[in-house]
Amino acid sequence: MVLGGALAEAEPLVAAVRGVLYERCLPMATSELTITAATSGADAGLLGAGHAAVRELAAGGRPMPLAGAAARCPLPTAP
C-alpha cells in the first residue's frame, strides 16, 4: 500500500492507518503487506490511477465508463 499526499507526510497518520489495517484485517491478508510513502509528491494519486488503468488494459480488461463509475460512487451533493 502506498500512501500519498498529506497523509504520507504525517508519520502519526501513517502509523494510525497501519494500526487500523492490522487490527481489522485477517493476518493472512496483511502478512506480506508493506505500507510506504509515495515518492511522487502531490501527483501520487493521479499516477497510481493511470498505472491501474494501463495495467487493466494490458490484462485485456476494458476501462470503466465514467458514467458507470459515477453511478456506483456518487459524490455528495450540497444541501
Side-chain angles (χ1 to χ4, degrees):
M1 173 179 287
V2 179
L3 303 175
L7 181 62
E9 296 172 8
E11 181 53 38
L13 293 176
V14 173
V17 168
R18 185 178 288 118
V20 168
L21 281 172
Y22 288 121
E23 176 184 315
R24 296 185 182 185
C25 294
L26 295 172
M28 186 168 50
T30 59
S31 65
E32 296 183 24
L33 178 67
T34 302
I35 301 172
T36 184
T39 58
S40 51
D43 292 335
L46 181 61
L47 293 171
H51 176 72
V54 169
R55 186 177 60 213
E56 180 68 22
L57 289 172
R62 296 182 342 187
M64 183 186 331
L66 290 178
R72 285 189 290 281
C73 301
L75 296 174
T77 56

